[in-house]
Amino acid sequence: MKSARASAAASVSNLGPGYDVLGLCLDGPRDEVEVSLNMSGRLRIIQIEGDGGRLPWDATQNCATVAAQAVMARFGEPQMGLDLRLKKGLPLGSGLGSSAASAVAAAVATAALIAPDTPRIDLLNACREGERLATGSPHPDNVAPSLLGGLVACVPREGEAVDIVPLVVPDGLTVVTVKPNISVSTAEARAALPRQVAMADAVSNVAEMAALVTGLATGDYNLVGRSLGDRFATPYRKGFIAGYDEVVAAAVEAGAIGAGISGSGPTLFALCSHPSSAEAVVASMVAGFAAHGLESVAHVSGVDSVGARVEVVTG
Amino acid sequence: MKSARASAAASVSNLGPGYDVLGLCLDGPRDEVEVSLNMSGRLRIIQIEGDGGRLPWDATQNCATVAAQAVMARFGEPQMGLDLRLKKGLPLGSGLGSSAASAVAAAVATAALIAPDTPRIDLLNACREGERLATGSPHPDNVAPSLLGGLVACVPREGEAVDIVPLVVPDGLTVVTVKPNISVSTAEARAALPRQVAMADAVSNVAEMAALVTGLATGDYNLVGRSLGDRFATPYRKGFIAGYDEVVAAAVEAGAIGAGISGSGPTLFALCSHPSSAEAVVASMVAGFAAHGLESVAHVSGVDSVGARVEVVTG
């Protein structure tokens, strides 16, 4: 029986001024999906590992199978069926693109079986169907980096179309992520956002984005550090994360370029110019949360420029 | 008697998604200011040329003298006075940064006399006082490119502070400007803008900015052309400019990368990848306005990477 295994990594979306726009692929934890092709005409989940029993087994309700189904619908034939195994490496609901990583790994594994020459970018919309299931909207800002690697800007076009624009990041850029022991649902985090923003705030984020893209492309870390401000989401979401301001300040004091909320939280990210500065930043952020009575789990990652990987194809 | 002459060029602000953020210095028409130093303790306008009698002679009400005064206040001594001559090369109220060019030329000429080693960037706030007089707010997005050259992003910081971030533009980038025979006041154009924007529109401009900066830095003209969209100002201002949509479409059809409103209008700009494509774009835009019964005046410019120039210092 023909089968394929693929993996996809955690990502930081909503980076700085890039709410709903920027996503950064980490060389951190990865989800793995293995699919076996059959001619049953249906898609089944036959194994889920690492989710603590929290993910749905109904194939219409799981991001991974929904993305696989979308690949089948576009590139497969009606009689084709799949058995899917999902191994979660990412924590759920942490703001690191967990649903996106599962969707991407499933889409890439499925394509490796039935349409192996498909350019990665052509799998984007299938992956987005997983996000539509998870959040009600086909947000590209986690699936795009998880699929394609690197830092990307997702630019909305007509209807649901998006341009994915790869951005340059400096060599050595290191990302600390710290997840405090709080649960924030994406739905709750979305509901906290205003539907309108003041023109001055809108202009501010646009300007910060110009500066951030330029700072990253030229390796000007001072400029990057000054340009991670966000007036769209952070002011409304930081209240969900006890100690937010203090932990961000602690990260910068310990040598981080800047810090903010990863995705819709509660994980915070901090950017460091070099792996060597990450240790002090981790210690400082973890201590910051501890001062607010919160345990936290930290990771240090580089930027993954490859994105999803097909691990094995057999049969 | 010690005197200095300086000149400063037209600029395109509000470029694409960069409302209140981006400004581009043209190697087009320039304003010239000549100042002579004396010890009268006061500032006088002794000549204005090329304004058709429209500019105020009261030194407290003219952008050029207000900027010169700000330079004197910061770098001069109380007993110093100036006689100022202004020669307008830019059309007034066209959306090409006319008040900014006068202010910049005056500030630079004054600094050349009294504080010649001052870094250009340190004159920015003095130049912005001219804009405060002209528009009620010290907008930096015309004075910064006119002073410093090139394409810049103006990033608002604490209070009235701004970071000026130079952006990369491709060699050969050519700017067509076409001013139809309409008058739009900056005040009227500002009043037309909403004070709030929908989150989706705010996100769209942020995303376009990421793409535009990247497209310009990498010379990807297709990306630049797709990323000049603006949902902050253009939808509310294009109604002041008869034929806007048709003239923009005509520019693109004739080979322009993209087009939009320069400043608060009524001048439109169109970007071309090379001077050779500009002629057809000019013809097409002028014909487009003519079809709406409007005469127009076109210029073809390159990007001026130098900014303001001190032309002569004597005495």
Side-chain angles (χ1 to χ4, degrees):
Chain A
M1 200 165 57
K2 228 176 142 187
S3 72
R5 191 168 78 226
S7 72
S11 54
V12 173
S13 63
N14 299 345
L15 192 83
Y19 168 70
D20 260 9
V21 175
L22 292 184
L24 176 66
C25 188
L26 303 183
D27 65 1
R30 305 176 76 82
D31 282 3
E32 275 186 19
V33 168
E34 187 169 343
V35 291
S36 307
L37 191 63
N38 57 47
M39 290 295 151
S40 68
R42 53 190 282 265
L43 217 145
R44 282 193 312 179
I45 298 174
I46 59 173
Q47 191 179 331
I48 304 181
E49 233 185 280
D51 69 327
R54 291 165 62 195
L55 289 176
W57 284 68
D58 177 345
T60 67
Q61 297 305 313
N62 186 296
C63 298
T65 30
V66 164
Q69 178 64 50
V71 173
M72 300 269 282
R74 173 150 177 210
F75 300 103
E77 288 156 34
Q79 71 275 23
M80 285 179 173
L82 285 182
D83 285 352
L84 184 148
R85 289 178 170 82
L86 169 61
K87 192 167 153 190
K88 290 296 297 180
L90 272 70
L92 271 62
S94 60
L96 287 168
S98 171
S99 58
S102 294
V104 169
V108 168
T110 304
L113 284 184
I114 67 170
D117 298 329
T118 309
R120 280 286 160 86
I121 188 71
D122 291 348
L123 301 176
L124 181 71
N125 284 342
C127 299
R128 292 170 70 194
E129 291 305 316
E131 295 296 73
R132 193 195 302 277
L133 175 75
T135 68
S137 159
H139 290 292
D141 49 339
N142 286 110
V143 290
S146 196
L147 178 67
L148 304 166
L151 175 64
V152 298
C154 305
V155 189
R157 303 297 183 197
E158 285 290 303
E160 289 186 344
V162 288
D163 262 352
I164 304 299
V165 180
L167 305 180
V168 175
V169 294
D171 288 343
L173 186 72
T174 301
V175 186
V176 168
T177 59
V178 182
K179 182 191 178 304
N181 189 22
I182 313 171
S183 158
V184 177
S185 81
T186 301
E188 186 181 28
R190 284 223 156 242
L193 300 188
R195 303 175 75 163
Q196 301 230 307
V197 297
M199 181 66 89
D201 292 339
V203 167
S204 175
N205 269 39
V206 171
E208 300 264 24
M209 180 60 87
L212 179 59
V213 169
T214 301
L216 289 168
T218 59
D220 181 344
Y221 284 122
N222 278 326
L223 184 59
V224 171
R226 288 200 306 279
S227 306
L228 287 167
D230 167 43
R231 301 190 189 179
F232 291 2
T234 307
Y236 308 99
R237 288 177 167 175
K238 67 181 192 174
F240 293 120
I241 304 166
Y244 174 83
D245 286 324
E246 292 87 339
V247 175
V248 167
V252 171
E253 207 158 303
I257 301 162
I261 302 174
S262 177
S264 53
T267 297
L268 303 193
F269 73 87
L271 301 183
C272 301
S273 59
H274 195 266
S276 63
S277 56
E279 198 179 325
V281 172
V282 165
S284 174
M285 293 176 78
V286 169
F289 277 125
H292 284 81
L294 290 170
E295 286 186 32
S296 57
V297 177
H299 276 280
V300 177
S301 309
V303 175
D304 178 324
S305 59
V306 174
R309 286 177 183 75
V310 176
E311 309 278 355
V312 194
V313 182
T314 57
Chain B
M1 199 165 56
K2 226 175 144 189
S3 73
R5 191 168 78 226
S7 72
S11 56
V12 173
S13 64
N14 299 345
L15 191 84
Y19 168 69
D20 261 9
V21 175
L22 292 185
L24 176 65
C25 187
L26 303 183
D27 64 3
R30 306 176 77 83
D31 281 2
E32 277 186 19
V33 168
E34 188 170 342
V35 291
S36 308
L37 191 64
N38 56 50
M39 290 295 151
S40 68
R42 54 192 281 264
L43 216 143
R44 282 193 311 175
I45 298 175
I46 58 171
Q47 188 179 332
I48 305 181
E49 233 185 281
D51 69 327
R54 292 165 62 194
L55 289 176
W57 285 68
D58 177 345
T60 66
Q61 297 304 313
N62 185 298
C63 297
T65 30
V66 164
Q69 178 64 51
V71 173
M72 299 267 283
R74 175 150 175 210
F75 300 103
E77 287 156 36
Q79 70 277 24
M80 285 181 174
L82 285 181
D83 285 351
L84 183 147
R85 289 177 172 80
L86 169 61
K87 192 167 152 192
K88 290 295 298 179
L90 272 70
L92 271 64
S94 60
L96 287 168
S98 171
S99 58
S102 294
V104 169
V108 168
T110 304
L113 284 185
I114 66 171
D117 299 329
T118 310
R120 280 286 159 88
I121 189 71
D122 291 348
L123 301 176
L124 182 70
N125 285 342
C127 299
R128 291 171 70 196
E129 291 306 316
E131 295 296 72
R132 193 195 303 277
L133 175 74
T135 69
S137 157
H139 292 293
D141 49 341
N142 286 110
V143 288
S146 197
L147 178 66
L148 304 165
L151 176 65
V152 298
C154 305
V155 189
R157 302 297 182 199
E158 286 290 305
E160 289 187 345
V162 289
D163 261 352
I164 304 298
V165 180
L167 305 180
V168 175
V169 295
D171 288 341
L173 186 72
T174 302
V175 187
V176 168
T177 58
V178 182
K179 180 188 178 306
N181 188 20
I182 312 171
S183 155
V184 177
S185 81
T186 302
E188 186 182 30
R190 285 225 155 240
L193 300 187
R195 303 176 73 161
Q196 301 231 309
V197 296
M199 181 65 89
D201 291 338
V203 167
S204 175
N205 268 41
V206 172
E208 300 265 23
M209 181 59 87
L212 179 59
V213 170
T214 302
L216 288 168
T218 60
D220 182 343
Y221 284 120
N222 278 325
L223 184 58
V224 171
R226 289 200 304 282
S227 305
L228 287 168
D230 167 44
R231 300 190 189 181
F232 291 2
T234 308
Y236 308 99
R237 289 177 167 177
K238 66 182 191 173
F240 292 119
I241 304 166
Y244 174 83
D245 286 325
E246 292 87 340
V247 175
V248 167
V252 172
E253 208 159 297
I257 300 161
I261 302 174
S262 177
S264 54
T267 296
L268 302 193
F269 73 88
L271 301 182
C272 301
S273 58
H274 196 268
S276 62
S277 55
E279 198 180 326
V281 171
V282 165
S284 176
M285 294 177 78
V286 169
F289 276 125
H292 284 80
L294 289 171
E295 285 185 33
S296 57
V297 177
H299 277 279
V300 177
S301 310
V303 175
D304 178 323
S305 60
V306 174
R309 285 176 184 76
V310 176
E311 310 278 355
V312 193
V313 182
T314 57

